[in-house]
Amino acid sequence: MRRRKSRILCRVAATAFILLGAAAASTAQYLEQSRSYTPTDARFLGAGFFERDFRPRGTNSAPESLAVSYTRIMPVVGFRQGPVDLLFGYTTYDLHGASRSAVFFGVTFTGDYLLAGNRESALVLPFLVDADFTKSESAGGLHDNFDVGSLGVGTGIKYRRIGESVDFSVMAAAIIHYSFDGYSLQTGSSPAAVAEAVAILPYIGIWNGLAIGYRFRYQAWSLGSGRYDYKTVNNGLFLGVMF
C-alpha cells in the first residue's frame, strides 16, 4: 500500500513539474514575443477625403426647419506620429437655400498590447483614447447649430504584418464617448465604431516613404432632450508622406 501511495505521489509530482515547466516556457515565450514586437513609430502628413453622411436620428426632437441633413465629400488633412493621430476635415453644403459649413477635428491615441505573434506578424489589442469636435450648421441661430465635443475610450482588434517593403495593419474598434454641446451645455453619450487599414511603404523614393490607407467612422449622439441626436457615417481614402 505504501509503495502504491509513493508511486501516486511521484506521478503527481512529475505531472505538476511538467505543467509548471510548460507554464514557465509559455510565459517566457510570450515575454520574448512582447519584447520583439514594437509598435509603429511612423510619422507622416496626409491628405484625403471622407464621404460624409450626416442626418438626424429617429429620436431627434428638432423641428424639420432646423434639422441638419447632408451628404457631402469632406476633404481631410492629418498628421500621425506613432500612437498619436490628428485629423481635420471641412466642407460646405446647401441647406434651405443657403450654404452651411461642417467641421470635424479628432485626436486619437492608440496603445498596442500584444495578444499573439511576433515582430513580423502580430494580433494586437488596441486601447484607444479619442477626442473629437463636430460642427454642422443649421438654418437657425447659433444655439441651433450642432457644436458637440466628445471624449471617450475604446478597444477592438488589430492585425499587423511587417515585411521587408511594407508595414501593413488593419484595425476595428468600438468607442464610447461622453459628449457635450458647446452652447446649450446639454450632455450625453456618443458611441462610435472605427476601422482603418494602412500600408506604410518606407522604400518609395518620396521623402522617407508613403502611407496609403482607408478610414471608416460611424458615430451617433444622444444629448439632453434629443435636439442634438444625430448620426454620421464617414469613409474614405488618404495618402501620406513620411518624414
Side-chain angles (χ1 to χ4, degrees), residues 37-41 80-86 107-113 124-131 152-158 169-173 175 194 196 217:
Y37 177 79
T38 304
T40 180
D41 60 354
R80 179 173 300 184
Q81 182 165 10
V84 180
D85 186 29
L86 286 80
V107 181
T108 305
F109 175 86
T110 304
D112 284 354
Y113 299 90
V124 176
L125 178 73
F127 177 76
L128 290 76
V129 178
D130 184 79
V153 295
T155 188
I157 196 71
K158 177 179 179 180
S169 63
V170 58
M171 183 270 294
I175 307 170
V194 297
E196 181 183 79
R217 185 182 184 95

PDB file of all heavy atoms in Angstrom, residues 37-41 80-86 107-113 124-131 152-158 169-173 175 194 196 217:
ATOM      1  N   TYR A  37       8.057  42.562 -30.335  1.00  0.00           N
ATOM      2  CA  TYR A  37       7.077  43.370 -31.041  1.00  0.00           C
ATOM      3  C   TYR A  37       7.248  44.836 -30.667  1.00  0.00           C
ATOM      4  O   TYR A  37       7.298  45.195 -29.486  1.00  0.00           O
ATOM      5  CB  TYR A  37       5.651  42.920 -30.698  1.00  0.00           C
ATOM      6  CG  TYR A  37       4.594  43.793 -31.350  1.00  0.00           C
ATOM      7  CD1 TYR A  37       4.262  43.610 -32.690  1.00  0.00           C
ATOM      8  CD2 TYR A  37       3.970  44.812 -30.643  1.00  0.00           C
ATOM      9  CE1 TYR A  37       3.312  44.412 -33.299  1.00  0.00           C
ATOM     10  CE2 TYR A  37       3.016  45.622 -31.242  1.00  0.00           C
ATOM     11  CZ  TYR A  37       2.698  45.418 -32.573  1.00  0.00           C
ATOM     12  OH  TYR A  37       1.764  46.229 -33.176  1.00  0.00           O
ATOM     13  N   THR A  38       7.315  45.690 -31.693  1.00  0.00           N
ATOM     14  CA  THR A  38       7.481  47.125 -31.483  1.00  0.00           C
ATOM     15  C   THR A  38       6.349  47.868 -32.174  1.00  0.00           C
ATOM     16  O   THR A  38       6.171  47.728 -33.388  1.00  0.00           O
ATOM     17  CB  THR A  38       8.823  47.614 -32.056  1.00  0.00           C
ATOM     18  OG1 THR A  38       9.891  46.864 -31.471  1.00  0.00           O
ATOM     19  CG2 THR A  38       9.027  49.094 -31.760  1.00  0.00           C
ATOM     20  N   PRO A  39       5.559  48.658 -31.434  1.00  0.00           N
ATOM     21  CA  PRO A  39       4.516  49.459 -32.086  1.00  0.00           C
ATOM     22  C   PRO A  39       5.127  50.398 -33.114  1.00  0.00           C
ATOM     23  O   PRO A  39       6.288  50.802 -33.004  1.00  0.00           O
ATOM     24  CB  PRO A  39       3.889  50.230 -30.920  1.00  0.00           C
ATOM     25  CG  PRO A  39       4.196  49.418 -29.713  1.00  0.00           C
ATOM     26  CD  PRO A  39       5.542  48.804 -29.967  1.00  0.00           C
ATOM     27  N   THR A  40       4.333  50.763 -34.114  1.00  0.00           N
ATOM     28  CA  THR A  40       4.847  51.608 -35.184  1.00  0.00           C
ATOM     29  C   THR A  40       5.252  52.984 -34.659  1.00  0.00           C
ATOM     30  O   THR A  40       4.617  53.541 -33.764  1.00  0.00           O
ATOM     31  CB  THR A  40       3.792  51.778 -36.293  1.00  0.00           C
ATOM     32  OG1 THR A  40       4.341  52.620 -37.321  1.00  0.00           O
ATOM     33  CG2 THR A  40       2.520  52.400 -35.759  1.00  0.00           C
ATOM     34  N   ASP A  41       6.326  53.536 -35.219  1.00  0.00           N
ATOM     35  CA  ASP A  41       6.734  54.900 -34.918  1.00  0.00           C
ATOM     36  C   ASP A  41       6.686  55.766 -36.180  1.00  0.00           C
ATOM     37  O   ASP A  41       7.330  56.821 -36.246  1.00  0.00           O
ATOM     38  CB  ASP A  41       8.142  54.926 -34.316  1.00  0.00           C
ATOM     39  CG  ASP A  41       9.191  54.329 -35.256  1.00  0.00           C
ATOM     40  OD1 ASP A  41       8.800  53.802 -36.330  1.00  0.00           O
ATOM     41  OD2 ASP A  41      10.392  54.387 -34.933  1.00  0.00           O
ATOM     42  N   ARG A  80       0.236  62.127 -38.281  1.00  0.00           N
ATOM     43  CA  ARG A  80       0.381  60.970 -37.404  1.00  0.00           C
ATOM     44  C   ARG A  80       1.839  60.789 -37.028  1.00  0.00           C
ATOM     45  O   ARG A  80       2.734  60.887 -37.872  1.00  0.00           O
ATOM     46  CB  ARG A  80      -0.130  59.699 -38.082  1.00  0.00           C
ATOM     47  CG  ARG A  80       0.016  58.440 -37.210  1.00  0.00           C
ATOM     48  CD  ARG A  80      -0.641  57.238 -37.830  1.00  0.00           C
ATOM     49  NE  ARG A  80      -2.060  57.459 -38.022  1.00  0.00           N
ATOM     50  CZ  ARG A  80      -2.898  56.527 -38.478  1.00  0.00           C
ATOM     51  NH1 ARG A  80      -2.455  55.324 -38.779  1.00  0.00           N
ATOM     52  NH2 ARG A  80      -4.162  56.809 -38.638  1.00  0.00           N
ATOM     53  N   GLN A  81       2.051  60.542 -35.749  1.00  0.00           N
ATOM     54  CA  GLN A  81       3.373  60.169 -35.264  1.00  0.00           C
ATOM     55  C   GLN A  81       3.215  59.076 -34.225  1.00  0.00           C
ATOM     56  O   GLN A  81       2.736  59.315 -33.119  1.00  0.00           O
ATOM     57  CB  GLN A  81       4.120  61.360 -34.669  1.00  0.00           C
ATOM     58  CG  GLN A  81       5.532  60.977 -34.196  1.00  0.00           C
ATOM     59  CD  GLN A  81       6.421  62.171 -33.936  1.00  0.00           C
ATOM     60  OE1 GLN A  81       5.962  63.308 -33.927  1.00  0.00           O
ATOM     61  NE2 GLN A  81       7.699  61.914 -33.737  1.00  0.00           N
ATOM     62  N   GLY A  82       3.614  57.859 -34.606  1.00  0.00           N
ATOM     63  CA  GLY A  82       3.485  56.732 -33.701  1.00  0.00           C
ATOM     64  C   GLY A  82       2.047  56.513 -33.286  1.00  0.00           C
ATOM     65  O   GLY A  82       1.152  56.332 -34.110  1.00  0.00           O
ATOM     66  N   PRO A  83       1.751  56.580 -31.969  1.00  0.00           N
ATOM     67  CA  PRO A  83       0.399  56.284 -31.481  1.00  0.00           C
ATOM     68  C   PRO A  83      -0.580  57.451 -31.576  1.00  0.00           C
ATOM     69  O   PRO A  83      -1.763  57.280 -31.274  1.00  0.00           O
ATOM     70  CB  PRO A  83       0.645  55.918 -30.014  1.00  0.00           C
ATOM     71  CG  PRO A  83       1.829  56.746 -29.634  1.00  0.00           C
ATOM     72  CD  PRO A  83       2.706  56.769 -30.865  1.00  0.00           C
ATOM     73  N   VAL A  84      -0.110  58.636 -31.962  1.00  0.00           N
ATOM     74  CA  VAL A  84      -0.956  59.828 -31.975  1.00  0.00           C
ATOM     75  C   VAL A  84      -1.397  60.156 -33.395  1.00  0.00           C
ATOM     76  O   VAL A  84      -0.580  60.238 -34.313  1.00  0.00           O
ATOM     77  CB  VAL A  84      -0.215  61.038 -31.374  1.00  0.00           C
ATOM     78  CG1 VAL A  84      -1.113  62.273 -31.383  1.00  0.00           C
ATOM     79  CG2 VAL A  84       0.239  60.721 -29.954  1.00  0.00           C
ATOM     80  N   ASP A  85      -2.707  60.349 -33.563  1.00  0.00           N
ATOM     81  CA  ASP A  85      -3.277  60.635 -34.878  1.00  0.00           C
ATOM     82  C   ASP A  85      -4.185  61.857 -34.777  1.00  0.00           C
ATOM     83  O   ASP A  85      -5.126  61.866 -33.981  1.00  0.00           O
ATOM     84  CB  ASP A  85      -4.071  59.413 -35.370  1.00  0.00           C
ATOM     85  CG  ASP A  85      -4.570  59.584 -36.791  1.00  0.00           C
ATOM     86  OD1 ASP A  85      -3.918  60.293 -37.575  1.00  0.00           O
ATOM     87  OD2 ASP A  85      -5.624  59.015 -37.121  1.00  0.00           O
ATOM     88  N   LEU A  86      -3.889  62.897 -35.575  1.00  0.00           N
ATOM     89  CA  LEU A  86      -4.704  64.100 -35.622  1.00  0.00           C
ATOM     90  C   LEU A  86      -5.358  64.199 -36.992  1.00  0.00           C
ATOM     91  O   LEU A  86      -4.706  63.957 -38.022  1.00  0.00           O
ATOM     92  CB  LEU A  86      -3.861  65.364 -35.375  1.00  0.00           C
ATOM     93  CG  LEU A  86      -3.377  65.636 -33.955  1.00  0.00           C
ATOM     94  CD1 LEU A  86      -2.141  64.794 -33.649  1.00  0.00           C
ATOM     95  CD2 LEU A  86      -3.034  67.112 -33.777  1.00  0.00           C
ATOM     96  N   VAL A 107      -8.635  63.757 -32.378  1.00  0.00           N
ATOM     97  CA  VAL A 107      -7.326  63.341 -31.883  1.00  0.00           C
ATOM     98  C   VAL A 107      -7.493  61.963 -31.249  1.00  0.00           C
ATOM     99  O   VAL A 107      -8.366  61.770 -30.387  1.00  0.00           O
ATOM    100  CB  VAL A 107      -6.769  64.317 -30.832  1.00  0.00           C
ATOM    101  CG1 VAL A 107      -5.393  63.848 -30.357  1.00  0.00           C
ATOM    102  CG2 VAL A 107      -6.692  65.725 -31.374  1.00  0.00           C
ATOM    103  N   THR A 108      -6.677  61.010 -31.682  1.00  0.00           N
ATOM    104  CA  THR A 108      -6.761  59.648 -31.152  1.00  0.00           C
ATOM    105  C   THR A 108      -5.387  59.178 -30.709  1.00  0.00           C
ATOM    106  O   THR A 108      -4.410  59.308 -31.454  1.00  0.00           O
ATOM    107  CB  THR A 108      -7.304  58.676 -32.207  1.00  0.00           C
ATOM    108  OG1 THR A 108      -8.566  59.147 -32.698  1.00  0.00           O
ATOM    109  CG2 THR A 108      -7.492  57.283 -31.621  1.00  0.00           C
ATOM    110  N   PHE A 109      -5.315  58.637 -29.509  1.00  0.00           N
ATOM    111  CA  PHE A 109      -4.103  57.982 -29.011  1.00  0.00           C
ATOM    112  C   PHE A 109      -4.382  56.486 -28.925  1.00  0.00           C
ATOM    113  O   PHE A 109      -5.379  56.069 -28.344  1.00  0.00           O
ATOM    114  CB  PHE A 109      -3.713  58.515 -27.632  1.00  0.00           C
ATOM    115  CG  PHE A 109      -2.539  57.792 -27.025  1.00  0.00           C
ATOM    116  CD1 PHE A 109      -1.246  58.187 -27.311  1.00  0.00           C
ATOM    117  CD2 PHE A 109      -2.742  56.694 -26.198  1.00  0.00           C
ATOM    118  CE1 PHE A 109      -0.156  57.506 -26.770  1.00  0.00           C
ATOM    119  CE2 PHE A 109      -1.658  56.007 -25.652  1.00  0.00           C
ATOM    120  CZ  PHE A 109      -0.364  56.420 -25.935  1.00  0.00           C
ATOM    121  N   THR A 110      -3.504  55.688 -29.521  1.00  0.00           N
ATOM    122  CA  THR A 110      -3.694  54.239 -29.558  1.00  0.00           C
ATOM    123  C   THR A 110      -2.499  53.527 -28.940  1.00  0.00           C
ATOM    124  O   THR A 110      -1.355  53.725 -29.374  1.00  0.00           O
ATOM    125  CB  THR A 110      -3.870  53.742 -31.003  1.00  0.00           C
ATOM    126  OG1 THR A 110      -4.957  54.436 -31.615  1.00  0.00           O
ATOM    127  CG2 THR A 110      -4.166  52.252 -31.029  1.00  0.00           C
ATOM    128  N   GLY A 111      -2.766  52.719 -27.946  1.00  0.00           N
ATOM    129  CA  GLY A 111      -1.743  51.868 -27.356  1.00  0.00           C
ATOM    130  C   GLY A 111      -1.945  50.424 -27.781  1.00  0.00           C
ATOM    131  O   GLY A 111      -3.062  49.915 -27.730  1.00  0.00           O
ATOM    132  N   ASP A 112      -0.880  49.764 -28.220  1.00  0.00           N
ATOM    133  CA  ASP A 112      -0.950  48.384 -28.699  1.00  0.00           C
ATOM    134  C   ASP A 112      -0.501  47.410 -27.609  1.00  0.00           C
ATOM    135  O   ASP A 112       0.562  47.599 -26.987  1.00  0.00           O
ATOM    136  CB  ASP A 112      -0.051  48.194 -29.924  1.00  0.00           C
ATOM    137  CG  ASP A 112      -0.662  48.789 -31.182  1.00  0.00           C
ATOM    138  OD1 ASP A 112      -1.818  49.238 -31.125  1.00  0.00           O
ATOM    139  OD2 ASP A 112       0.029  48.814 -32.221  1.00  0.00           O
ATOM    140  N   TYR A 113      -1.292  46.345 -27.413  1.00  0.00           N
ATOM    141  CA  TYR A 113      -0.958  45.295 -26.453  1.00  0.00           C
ATOM    142  C   TYR A 113      -0.995  43.949 -27.179  1.00  0.00           C
ATOM    143  O   TYR A 113      -2.043  43.521 -27.658  1.00  0.00           O
ATOM    144  CB  TYR A 113      -1.919  45.321 -25.271  1.00  0.00           C
ATOM    145  CG  TYR A 113      -1.859  46.621 -24.509  1.00  0.00           C
ATOM    146  CD1 TYR A 113      -2.695  47.684 -24.856  1.00  0.00           C
ATOM    147  CD2 TYR A 113      -0.934  46.814 -23.487  1.00  0.00           C
ATOM    148  CE1 TYR A 113      -2.624  48.904 -24.187  1.00  0.00           C
ATOM    149  CE2 TYR A 113      -0.857  48.018 -22.807  1.00  0.00           C
ATOM    150  CZ  TYR A 113      -1.710  49.054 -23.163  1.00  0.00           C
ATOM    151  OH  TYR A 113      -1.630  50.258 -22.511  1.00  0.00           O
ATOM    152  N   VAL A 124      -3.079  42.103 -32.159  1.00  0.00           N
ATOM    153  CA  VAL A 124      -2.870  43.126 -31.130  1.00  0.00           C
ATOM    154  C   VAL A 124      -4.210  43.591 -30.581  1.00  0.00           C
ATOM    155  O   VAL A 124      -5.207  43.676 -31.315  1.00  0.00           O
ATOM    156  CB  VAL A 124      -2.089  44.324 -31.727  1.00  0.00           C
ATOM    157  CG1 VAL A 124      -1.948  45.442 -30.708  1.00  0.00           C
ATOM    158  CG2 VAL A 124      -0.726  43.873 -32.226  1.00  0.00           C
ATOM    159  N   LEU A 125      -4.237  43.893 -29.281  1.00  0.00           N
ATOM    160  CA  LEU A 125      -5.384  44.542 -28.654  1.00  0.00           C
ATOM    161  C   LEU A 125      -5.085  46.042 -28.578  1.00  0.00           C
ATOM    162  O   LEU A 125      -4.225  46.463 -27.809  1.00  0.00           O
ATOM    163  CB  LEU A 125      -5.623  43.992 -27.251  1.00  0.00           C
ATOM    164  CG  LEU A 125      -6.777  44.622 -26.464  1.00  0.00           C
ATOM    165  CD1 LEU A 125      -8.112  44.162 -27.038  1.00  0.00           C
ATOM    166  CD2 LEU A 125      -6.681  44.273 -24.986  1.00  0.00           C
ATOM    167  N   PRO A 126      -5.793  46.866 -29.376  1.00  0.00           N
ATOM    168  CA  PRO A 126      -5.560  48.307 -29.294  1.00  0.00           C
ATOM    169  C   PRO A 126      -6.433  48.935 -28.207  1.00  0.00           C
ATOM    170  O   PRO A 126      -7.605  48.593 -28.063  1.00  0.00           O
ATOM    171  CB  PRO A 126      -5.972  48.803 -30.680  1.00  0.00           C
ATOM    172  CG  PRO A 126      -7.039  47.838 -31.111  1.00  0.00           C
ATOM    173  CD  PRO A 126      -6.714  46.512 -30.476  1.00  0.00           C
ATOM    174  N   PHE A 127      -5.850  49.850 -27.449  1.00  0.00           N
ATOM    175  CA  PHE A 127      -6.600  50.638 -26.477  1.00  0.00           C
ATOM    176  C   PHE A 127      -6.587  52.089 -26.953  1.00  0.00           C
ATOM    177  O   PHE A 127      -5.526  52.667 -27.170  1.00  0.00           O
ATOM    178  CB  PHE A 127      -5.978  50.529 -25.090  1.00  0.00           C
ATOM    179  CG  PHE A 127      -6.681  51.379 -24.054  1.00  0.00           C
ATOM    180  CD1 PHE A 127      -7.899  50.981 -23.531  1.00  0.00           C
ATOM    181  CD2 PHE A 127      -6.133  52.577 -23.628  1.00  0.00           C
ATOM    182  CE1 PHE A 127      -8.555  51.761 -22.585  1.00  0.00           C
ATOM    183  CE2 PHE A 127      -6.775  53.360 -22.690  1.00  0.00           C
ATOM    184  CZ  PHE A 127      -7.992  52.957 -22.167  1.00  0.00           C
ATOM    185  N   LEU A 128      -7.779  52.677 -27.144  1.00  0.00           N
ATOM    186  CA  LEU A 128      -7.895  54.000 -27.744  1.00  0.00           C
ATOM    187  C   LEU A 128      -8.419  55.022 -26.747  1.00  0.00           C
ATOM    188  O   LEU A 128      -9.354  54.733 -25.995  1.00  0.00           O
ATOM    189  CB  LEU A 128      -8.839  53.974 -28.961  1.00  0.00           C
ATOM    190  CG  LEU A 128      -8.398  53.268 -30.230  1.00  0.00           C
ATOM    191  CD1 LEU A 128      -8.497  51.764 -30.095  1.00  0.00           C
ATOM    192  CD2 LEU A 128      -9.245  53.721 -31.417  1.00  0.00           C
ATOM    193  N   VAL A 129      -7.807  56.194 -26.762  1.00  0.00           N
ATOM    194  CA  VAL A 129      -8.345  57.386 -26.105  1.00  0.00           C
ATOM    195  C   VAL A 129      -8.644  58.376 -27.229  1.00  0.00           C
ATOM    196  O   VAL A 129      -7.750  58.744 -27.994  1.00  0.00           O
ATOM    197  CB  VAL A 129      -7.357  57.995 -25.104  1.00  0.00           C
ATOM    198  CG1 VAL A 129      -7.934  59.267 -24.486  1.00  0.00           C
ATOM    199  CG2 VAL A 129      -7.020  56.982 -24.008  1.00  0.00           C
ATOM    200  N   ASP A 130      -9.912  58.785 -27.340  1.00  0.00           N
ATOM    201  CA  ASP A 130     -10.362  59.527 -28.513  1.00  0.00           C
ATOM    202  C   ASP A 130     -11.081  60.804 -28.093  1.00  0.00           C
ATOM    203  O   ASP A 130     -11.915  60.793 -27.181  1.00  0.00           O
ATOM    204  CB  ASP A 130     -11.311  58.646 -29.335  1.00  0.00           C
ATOM    205  CG  ASP A 130     -11.763  59.306 -30.623  1.00  0.00           C
ATOM    206  OD1 ASP A 130     -10.974  59.310 -31.593  1.00  0.00           O
ATOM    207  OD2 ASP A 130     -12.902  59.818 -30.665  1.00  0.00           O
ATOM    208  N   ALA A 131     -10.745  61.912 -28.746  1.00  0.00           N
ATOM    209  CA  ALA A 131     -11.440  63.180 -28.525  1.00  0.00           C
ATOM    210  C   ALA A 131     -11.783  63.765 -29.883  1.00  0.00           C
ATOM    211  O   ALA A 131     -10.979  63.699 -30.828  1.00  0.00           O
ATOM    212  CB  ALA A 131     -10.566  64.147 -27.734  1.00  0.00           C
ATOM    213  N   GLY A 152     -13.686  60.011 -25.224  1.00  0.00           N
ATOM    214  CA  GLY A 152     -14.042  58.626 -24.939  1.00  0.00           C
ATOM    215  C   GLY A 152     -12.872  57.670 -24.955  1.00  0.00           C
ATOM    216  O   GLY A 152     -11.732  58.039 -25.268  1.00  0.00           O
ATOM    217  N   VAL A 153     -13.161  56.419 -24.616  1.00  0.00           N
ATOM    218  CA  VAL A 153     -12.178  55.340 -24.624  1.00  0.00           C
ATOM    219  C   VAL A 153     -12.789  54.138 -25.338  1.00  0.00           C
ATOM    220  O   VAL A 153     -14.014  53.986 -25.396  1.00  0.00           O
ATOM    221  CB  VAL A 153     -11.743  54.945 -23.198  1.00  0.00           C
ATOM    222  CG1 VAL A 153     -11.011  56.086 -22.523  1.00  0.00           C
ATOM    223  CG2 VAL A 153     -12.943  54.511 -22.361  1.00  0.00           C
ATOM    224  N   GLY A 154     -11.924  53.301 -25.871  1.00  0.00           N
ATOM    225  CA  GLY A 154     -12.434  52.134 -26.575  1.00  0.00           C
ATOM    226  C   GLY A 154     -11.354  51.102 -26.817  1.00  0.00           C
ATOM    227  O   GLY A 154     -10.171  51.304 -26.500  1.00  0.00           O
ATOM    228  N   THR A 155     -11.767  49.990 -27.398  1.00  0.00           N
ATOM    229  CA  THR A 155     -10.835  48.927 -27.729  1.00  0.00           C
ATOM    230  C   THR A 155     -11.409  48.109 -28.875  1.00  0.00           C
ATOM    231  O   THR A 155     -12.560  48.309 -29.289  1.00  0.00           O
ATOM    232  CB  THR A 155     -10.561  48.033 -26.507  1.00  0.00           C
ATOM    233  OG1 THR A 155      -9.493  47.122 -26.812  1.00  0.00           O
ATOM    234  CG2 THR A 155     -11.791  47.240 -26.118  1.00  0.00           C
ATOM    235  N   GLY A 156     -10.611  47.190 -29.387  1.00  0.00           N
ATOM    236  CA  GLY A 156     -11.050  46.381 -30.520  1.00  0.00           C
ATOM    237  C   GLY A 156     -10.038  45.304 -30.822  1.00  0.00           C
ATOM    238  O   GLY A 156      -9.515  44.652 -29.910  1.00  0.00           O
ATOM    239  N   ILE A 157      -9.706  45.143 -32.085  1.00  0.00           N
ATOM    240  CA  ILE A 157      -8.755  44.124 -32.521  1.00  0.00           C
ATOM    241  C   ILE A 157      -7.955  44.679 -33.692  1.00  0.00           C
ATOM    242  O   ILE A 157      -8.471  45.460 -34.498  1.00  0.00           O
ATOM    243  CB  ILE A 157      -9.482  42.812 -32.920  1.00  0.00           C
ATOM    244  CG1 ILE A 157      -8.491  41.654 -32.986  1.00  0.00           C
ATOM    245  CG2 ILE A 157     -10.264  42.985 -34.191  1.00  0.00           C
ATOM    246  CD1 ILE A 157      -7.976  41.198 -31.645  1.00  0.00           C
ATOM    247  N   LYS A 158      -6.705  44.278 -33.771  1.00  0.00           N
ATOM    248  CA  LYS A 158      -5.807  44.787 -34.810  1.00  0.00           C
ATOM    249  C   LYS A 158      -4.877  43.668 -35.262  1.00  0.00           C
ATOM    250  O   LYS A 158      -4.388  42.881 -34.438  1.00  0.00           O
ATOM    251  CB  LYS A 158      -4.997  45.967 -34.263  1.00  0.00           C
ATOM    252  CG  LYS A 158      -3.968  46.553 -35.209  1.00  0.00           C
ATOM    253  CD  LYS A 158      -3.259  47.735 -34.538  1.00  0.00           C
ATOM    254  CE  LYS A 158      -2.198  48.337 -35.429  1.00  0.00           C
ATOM    255  NZ  LYS A 158      -1.518  49.492 -34.758  1.00  0.00           N
ATOM    256  N   SER A 169      -1.287  47.159 -41.588  1.00  0.00           N
ATOM    257  CA  SER A 169      -2.112  46.887 -40.415  1.00  0.00           C
ATOM    258  C   SER A 169      -3.566  47.155 -40.742  1.00  0.00           C
ATOM    259  O   SER A 169      -3.887  48.023 -41.554  1.00  0.00           O
ATOM    260  CB  SER A 169      -1.672  47.746 -39.221  1.00  0.00           C
ATOM    261  OG  SER A 169      -1.850  49.121 -39.483  1.00  0.00           O
ATOM    262  N   VAL A 170      -4.451  46.407 -40.086  1.00  0.00           N
ATOM    263  CA  VAL A 170      -5.889  46.619 -40.212  1.00  0.00           C
ATOM    264  C   VAL A 170      -6.483  46.542 -38.810  1.00  0.00           C
ATOM    265  O   VAL A 170      -6.105  45.676 -38.008  1.00  0.00           O
ATOM    266  CB  VAL A 170      -6.527  45.580 -41.164  1.00  0.00           C
ATOM    267  CG1 VAL A 170      -6.285  44.161 -40.696  1.00  0.00           C
ATOM    268  CG2 VAL A 170      -8.009  45.861 -41.338  1.00  0.00           C
ATOM    269  N   MET A 171      -7.371  47.489 -38.491  1.00  0.00           N
ATOM    270  CA  MET A 171      -7.884  47.621 -37.129  1.00  0.00           C
ATOM    271  C   MET A 171      -9.356  47.967 -37.147  1.00  0.00           C
ATOM    272  O   MET A 171      -9.828  48.706 -38.010  1.00  0.00           O
ATOM    273  CB  MET A 171      -7.091  48.714 -36.395  1.00  0.00           C
ATOM    274  CG  MET A 171      -7.460  48.916 -34.931  1.00  0.00           C
ATOM    275  SD  MET A 171      -8.792  50.155 -34.682  1.00  0.00           S
ATOM    276  CE  MET A 171      -8.013  51.658 -35.214  1.00  0.00           C
ATOM    277  N   ALA A 172     -10.102  47.427 -36.180  1.00  0.00           N
ATOM    278  CA  ALA A 172     -11.500  47.788 -35.964  1.00  0.00           C
ATOM    279  C   ALA A 172     -11.714  47.925 -34.468  1.00  0.00           C
ATOM    280  O   ALA A 172     -11.190  47.130 -33.679  1.00  0.00           O
ATOM    281  CB  ALA A 172     -12.440  46.738 -36.547  1.00  0.00           C
ATOM    282  N   ALA A 173     -12.472  48.969 -34.060  1.00  0.00           N
ATOM    283  CA  ALA A 173     -12.653  49.217 -32.633  1.00  0.00           C
ATOM    284  C   ALA A 173     -13.984  49.895 -32.374  1.00  0.00           C
ATOM    285  O   ALA A 173     -14.583  50.507 -33.269  1.00  0.00           O
ATOM    286  CB  ALA A 173     -11.516  50.080 -32.091  1.00  0.00           C
ATOM    287  N   ILE A 175     -15.851  52.631 -29.556  1.00  0.00           N
ATOM    288  CA  ILE A 175     -15.517  53.683 -28.590  1.00  0.00           C
ATOM    289  C   ILE A 175     -16.808  54.210 -27.977  1.00  0.00           C
ATOM    290  O   ILE A 175     -17.807  54.382 -28.678  1.00  0.00           O
ATOM    291  CB  ILE A 175     -14.764  54.843 -29.274  1.00  0.00           C
ATOM    292  CG1 ILE A 175     -13.546  54.333 -30.044  1.00  0.00           C
ATOM    293  CG2 ILE A 175     -14.336  55.892 -28.252  1.00  0.00           C
ATOM    294  CD1 ILE A 175     -12.899  55.390 -30.927  1.00  0.00           C
ATOM    295  N   VAL A 194     -15.032  52.517 -35.376  1.00  0.00           N
ATOM    296  CA  VAL A 194     -13.993  52.989 -36.283  1.00  0.00           C
ATOM    297  C   VAL A 194     -13.247  51.789 -36.861  1.00  0.00           C
ATOM    298  O   VAL A 194     -13.137  50.732 -36.232  1.00  0.00           O
ATOM    299  CB  VAL A 194     -13.005  53.936 -35.571  1.00  0.00           C
ATOM    300  CG1 VAL A 194     -13.723  55.185 -35.083  1.00  0.00           C
ATOM    301  CG2 VAL A 194     -12.311  53.240 -34.408  1.00  0.00           C
ATOM    302  N   GLU A 196      -9.807  50.951 -39.805  1.00  0.00           N
ATOM    303  CA  GLU A 196      -8.730  51.547 -40.596  1.00  0.00           C
ATOM    304  C   GLU A 196      -7.838  50.454 -41.156  1.00  0.00           C
ATOM    305  O   GLU A 196      -7.584  49.440 -40.511  1.00  0.00           O
ATOM    306  CB  GLU A 196      -7.903  52.485 -39.713  1.00  0.00           C
ATOM    307  CG  GLU A 196      -6.763  53.184 -40.433  1.00  0.00           C
ATOM    308  CD  GLU A 196      -5.950  54.046 -39.496  1.00  0.00           C
ATOM    309  OE1 GLU A 196      -5.111  53.479 -38.765  1.00  0.00           O
ATOM    310  OE2 GLU A 196      -6.149  55.278 -39.478  1.00  0.00           O
ATOM    311  N   ARG A 217     -15.591  55.714 -40.087  1.00  0.00           N
ATOM    312  CA  ARG A 217     -16.024  56.173 -38.763  1.00  0.00           C
ATOM    313  C   ARG A 217     -17.545  56.334 -38.750  1.00  0.00           C
ATOM    314  O   ARG A 217     -18.093  57.083 -39.554  1.00  0.00           O
ATOM    315  CB  ARG A 217     -15.362  57.495 -38.400  1.00  0.00           C
ATOM    316  CG  ARG A 217     -15.687  57.979 -36.968  1.00  0.00           C
ATOM    317  CD  ARG A 217     -15.041  59.320 -36.675  1.00  0.00           C
ATOM    318  NE  ARG A 217     -15.272  59.741 -35.297  1.00  0.00           N
ATOM    319  CZ  ARG A 217     -14.444  59.542 -34.286  1.00  0.00           C
ATOM    320  NH1 ARG A 217     -13.286  58.921 -34.510  1.00  0.00           N
ATOM    321  NH2 ARG A 217     -14.728  59.956 -33.057  1.00  0.00           N
TER     322      ARG A 217
END
